[in-house]
Amino acid sequence: MGELRLMKGNEAVAEAAIRAGCDGYFGYPITPQSEIMEYLMVEKPHERTGMVVLQAESEVASINMLYGGAGTGKMVMTSSSSPGISLMQEGISYMAGAELPCLIVNVVRGGPGLGTIQPSQADYFQAVKGGGHGDYHMIVLAPASVQEMSDFVKLGFDLAFKYRTPVLILSDGAIGQMMEKVELFDPIPRRTNEEVIRQCPWAATGKPKERDHIIITSLDLDPAGQEKINLKLQAKYRQMKKDEVRFEMIQCEDAEYIFIAFGLSARICQKAMDIARAKNIKVGLFRPVTLFPFPAKAIAEISKKVKGMLVVEMNAGQMIEDVRLSLDSPQKVEHYGRFGGIIPAPDEVVSALEQQIIGG
Amino acid sequence: MEEQFAKLDIRKDENIVYKRTPLLVDRPLSYCPGCGHGTVHRMLMETLEEMDIQDKTIGISPVGCSVLAYDFLNIDMLGAAHGRAPALATAIKRMWPDKFVFTYQGDGDLAAIGTAETIHACNRGENFVIIFINNGIYGMTGGQMAPTTLPGMRSSTSPYGRDEKTMGHPLRMTELVAQLPGTYFVTRQAVHTPNHVRRTKKALRKAFENQKLNVGISFIEVVSNCNSGWKMTPVNSNKWMEDNMFPYYPLGDIKVDGKIVEPKAVTAKAGE
């Protein structure tokens, strides 16, 4: 059993980063995620593990610091909230194109624009469809607890290096701010420079006599070359869809209806499920854990066993598009959403199920 | 045939007095004939060769004419997004403090879109070298107005000349960063004559030696020509540079060993 602590989601991310052997954190303050860098600054990870923590001049600088660090094989991360993540999109696209591993945490707040500092899930499209320019994806992990805020930092780094890709943790203001019990994983030592050079032969670490010089770039002016890079990326995404789909099903065995929800919405749906079952409505919960790759097959399968599905999101209907694309045949699927920082109450979710799916 | 034999004869090893440094990749440069980039590339690589730090150096190329610098410089390199090279360099140097790190940037990259990254890297006193090629124009995209374009100077986006009232004033980034406590060595050089080339190389050596001291940014501006963008012959462009660029961007050291040396350089204006 690992060390147990009562922590905020944001603090769990920060502690997990130190324990995962992260080499560098680069960030810029924004509510509701500033505790991540604050926790790191207090903890002095430079003394604990040698990890670098730097407050950058902007989110644009932060993401490009990640590009530099990742291009030299280091394990780097940043965190921000919606407007800041929007600013990072160019850099993320460059990193996807140059095939660089990194971890980005988005503690989502309501938008558009400056929006609000309250929780939201309205950045789903931006997270799973690419966000920046060009044909690329990130692996997107959606934590629904403080425990997963910690666990997904380690998982995120593992996947980032396995696929040489940016990985995004799509959290929200509530998961970031709420306190829960966390079982922390045991610290993993940071890699030595020699280990980095050995593990990342693709990285720019200084050219020894015996090898060619390494160039980290997303540029290839020759269309044939650029198409080759694109095909390589697409092959990588197919592999992710095959091997990295993660989801959770709760009380789906006897379910006549299901909620489909990720992150905080899934937590709300768990309570809604209890209320509904007390009223003899047999409802289960399907929770995508990876939003990209999306659990399309599993959703197609379960859709055939139920009478209807309600997609519950804190947005105007984003994941529901991926749910609909997953289905082989027309199924009853509706959306219930609140936006702009409003968190739906469990009983309004049950009412939505009754009105839109059961009675609809 | 006879002429060819003569050439081969001349190319014998014992006759060679000046050759490509192995730190330059054996491929044709993509720069226009007459451009200063190739000379700066060579001086930079000669410096690394003389210091024997090829295996310890990581360079960052910009977006602009020198976007493909990594194809010519035989060291490990990263191609940055437009203006962001100092952010990359910051992270690399912080996580690999024993490496020698430099950015190579043009005036649009460093003084327009990347102003924030430049100022803040300098202000934090990061410990790397910034090489800033200032030719007063956006060369690669076809000769548009740059932050450093001189008053009255024509470009494709200031076709009637830069009007300072509506287009702003040419930005002297080098004087600006010299004011920041995080810069240790700030100088402005040129590469259009052998004498200036030698001075630029000396500045490069000093800048890379400074990295061993961990004392802050070494910032080298090289005022260069853009004969294509300025629509002049190489020779005329060098003359024009001397007559017009140098009065506004006076050559010489501005800050040495952390101390401002030539405050009068800051006040010089075009035409004076």
Side-chain angles (χ1 to χ4, degrees):
Chain A
M1 184 105 181
E3 188 187 339
L4 285 179
R5 273 207 225 161
L6 182 67
M7 298 181 99
K8 275 190 174 193
N10 288 338
E11 294 167 346
V13 165
E15 178 61 31
I18 303 171
R19 287 173 180 247
C22 178
D23 295 304
Y25 171 95
F26 305 89
Y28 185 82
I30 183 171
T31 309
Q33 63 79 54
S34 295
E35 292 87 353
I36 296 176
M37 188 162 44
E38 287 169 355
Y39 182 98
L40 287 171
M41 289 295 187
V42 170
E43 276 297 308
K44 296 185 183 168
H46 199 73
E47 290 175 13
R48 266 176 72 181
T49 68
M51 174 182 174
V52 170
V53 183
L54 179 64
Q55 180 168 335
E57 61 270 33
S58 68
E59 289 90 349
V60 175
S62 306
I63 194 69
N64 285 286
M65 288 173 182
L66 259 61
Y67 181 103
T72 58
K74 294 285 182 174
M75 192 186 278
V76 287
M77 69 176 291
T78 186
S79 63
S80 187
S81 181
S82 308
I85 297 288
S86 292
L87 277 171
M88 292 184 190
Q89 292 305 319
E90 182 202 31
I92 296 171
S93 170
Y94 274 64
M95 292 185 83
E99 296 192 274
L100 298 181
C102 70
L103 182 67
I104 302 154
V105 182
N106 184 359
V107 182
V108 181
R109 55 190 259 180
L114 202 48
T116 168
I117 58 172
Q118 301 301 326
S120 164
Q121 295 182 319
D123 296 358
Y124 176 92
F125 279 152
Q126 185 196 56
V128 305
K129 305 296 180 190
H133 58 285
D135 269 321
Y136 76 92
H137 290 283
M138 291 180 279
I139 292 177
V140 182
L141 304 170
S145 62
V146 174
Q147 181 67 53
E148 285 186 337
M149 286 289 260
S150 165
D151 294 346
F152 288 1
V153 168
K154 183 167 173 292
L155 174 65
F157 275 128
D158 287 347
L159 292 170
F161 275 84
K162 182 176 176 186
Y163 291 95
R164 280 180 60 188
T165 184
V167 171
L168 182 88
I169 294 179
L170 190 71
S171 177
D172 66 68
I175 304 277
Q177 292 294 330
M178 73 187 186
M179 293 185 89
E180 286 186 312
K181 187 175 74 179
V182 194
E183 185 187 343
L184 296 165
F185 57 86
D186 292 335
I188 303 159
R190 272 180 61 243
R191 298 162 303 158
T192 62
N193 284 348
E194 293 69 32
E195 283 167 341
V196 170
I197 291 167
R198 206 165 46 243
Q199 286 173 13
C200 305
W202 47 265
T205 52
K207 180 204 170 312
K209 297 267 178 292
E210 59 273 13
R211 70 154 164 79
D212 278 349
H213 67 144
I214 282 168
I215 298 166
I216 302 288
T217 182
S218 57
L219 177 73
D220 194 334
L221 292 168
D222 171 21
Q226 192 57 251
E227 186 177 52
K228 219 165 154 184
I229 293 165
N230 271 271
L231 290 169
K232 191 179 173 199
L233 291 179
Q234 292 305 317
K236 198 152 79 172
Y237 302 143
R238 279 196 298 278
Q239 194 67 36
M240 290 171 188
K241 285 177 186 172
K242 199 168 144 270
D243 294 341
E244 306 302 343
V245 171
R246 288 165 171 81
F247 56 88
E248 185 186 22
M249 297 204 295
I250 302 171
Q251 297 192 58
C252 286
E253 300 79 19
D254 65 341
E256 294 179 356
Y257 306 97
I258 55 164
F259 293 125
I260 304 180
F262 69 94
L264 184 66
S265 293
R267 290 290 289 272
I268 295 159
C269 286
Q270 267 181 272
K271 181 67 182 168
M273 210 160 58
D274 294 343
I275 297 168
R277 283 191 174 254
K279 294 163 99 174
N280 281 325
I281 303 167
K282 285 183 180 171
V283 60
L285 169 66
F286 186 100
R287 176 171 80 96
V289 170
T290 51
L291 301 180
F292 185 91
F294 192 68
K297 272 185 201 159
I299 286 178
E301 273 167 37
I302 195 160
S303 73
K304 288 165 192 154
K305 297 174 189 161
V306 296
K307 294 177 187 169
M309 299 177 291
L310 185 69
V311 180
V312 181
E313 301 177 81
M314 282 149 50
N315 61 41
Q318 300 191 15
M319 183 175 70
I320 189 171
E321 292 195 5
D322 285 330
V323 171
R324 287 200 168 117
L325 286 168
S326 304
L327 305 177
D328 318 320
S329 51
Q331 310 275 349
K332 181 145 190 164
V333 50
E334 295 288 337
H335 183 262
Y336 182 73
R338 296 296 300 268
F339 3 101
I342 299 284
I343 302 173
D347 50 4
E348 63 178 289
V349 172
V350 176
S351 301
L353 177 72
E354 288 174 324
Q355 285 162 27
Q356 292 174 242
I357 302 290
I358 302 171
Chain B
M1 286 299 277
E2 258 177 46
E3 196 186 332
Q4 273 184 17
F5 280 127
K7 271 184 190 167
L8 286 174
D9 204 42
I10 292 164
R11 282 177 192 166
K12 276 181 185 165
D13 277 353
E14 60 265 33
N15 293 333
I16 292 174
V17 290
Y18 191 70
K19 61 180 181 181
R20 178 180 59 81
T21 152
L23 267 69
L24 279 174
V25 177
D26 189 9
R27 67 188 296 171
L29 295 171
S30 55
Y31 304 111
C32 306
C35 170
H37 271 304
T39 313
V40 182
H41 279 21
R42 172 155 187 135
M43 292 309 114
L44 174 58
M45 289 299 106
E46 278 185 6
T47 303
L48 302 187
E49 188 187 6
E50 284 159 20
M51 290 176 72
D52 193 22
I53 54 170
Q54 180 187 27
D55 59 336
K56 295 184 193 71
T57 303
I58 300 172
I60 298 140
S61 64
V63 171
C65 287
S66 50
V67 66
L68 296 175
Y70 50 63
D71 280 342
F72 313 123
L73 311 182
N74 195 12
I75 52 169
D76 280 2
M77 288 195 70
L78 296 91
H82 201 20
R84 316 299 173 213
L88 273 68
T90 294
I92 294 169
K93 187 68 184 189
R94 293 233 179 188
M95 288 188 287
W96 296 91
D98 297 336
K99 302 285 180 193
F100 292 83
V101 178
F102 71 88
T103 71
Y104 189 103
Q105 304 175 256
D107 42 69
D109 193 85
L110 180 141
I113 196 165
T115 310
E117 285 76 9
T118 305
I119 298 270
H120 284 279
C122 288
N123 195 48
R124 283 191 303 263
E126 300 293 343
N127 190 32
F128 57 83
V129 176
I130 295 177
I131 299 160
F132 166 37
I133 312 297
N134 174 12
N135 60 12
I137 204 157
Y138 284 79
M140 185 183 70
T141 44
Q144 293 84 8
M145 183 178 69
T148 47
T149 297
L150 295 178
M153 186 172 163
R154 287 168 196 259
S155 73
S156 66
T157 52
S158 57
Y160 307 106
R162 181 176 192 154
D163 172 12
E164 284 180 286
K165 274 191 185 145
T166 58
M167 297 167 174
H169 310 279
L171 188 54
R172 291 187 186 101
M173 268 309 262
T174 306
E175 279 79 0
L176 206 155
V177 300
Q179 304 304 315
L180 304 172
T183 52
Y184 187 73
F185 174 46
V186 181
T187 188
R188 183 183 282 122
Q189 301 293 337
V191 290
H192 65 307
T193 70
N195 190 21
H196 286 98
V197 170
R198 276 193 291 274
R199 282 189 211 164
T200 297
K201 190 173 166 191
K202 211 173 144 197
L204 283 164
R205 178 69 184 243
K206 188 171 174 60
F208 278 87
E209 292 288 349
N210 283 345
Q211 279 202 54
K212 294 179 186 166
L213 308 174
N214 197 13
V215 283
I217 291 277
S218 293
F219 189 103
I220 302 175
E221 174 179 341
V222 179
V223 180
S224 191
N225 63 336
C226 178
N227 41 285
S228 300
W230 296 354
K231 306 196 191 313
M232 296 174 196
T233 64
V235 172
N236 288 347
S237 72
N238 282 338
K239 176 80 173 66
W240 193 88
M241 176 171 72
E242 284 180 342
D243 295 345
N244 298 276
M245 293 285 277
F246 291 174
Y248 200 93
Y249 302 111
L251 304 186
D253 292 341
I254 298 169
K255 193 177 193 180
V256 177
D257 298 344
K259 290 185 186 69
I260 302 270
V261 289
E262 228 177 321
K264 70 175 189 293
V266 185
T267 57
K269 278 185 183 159
E272 276 179 7

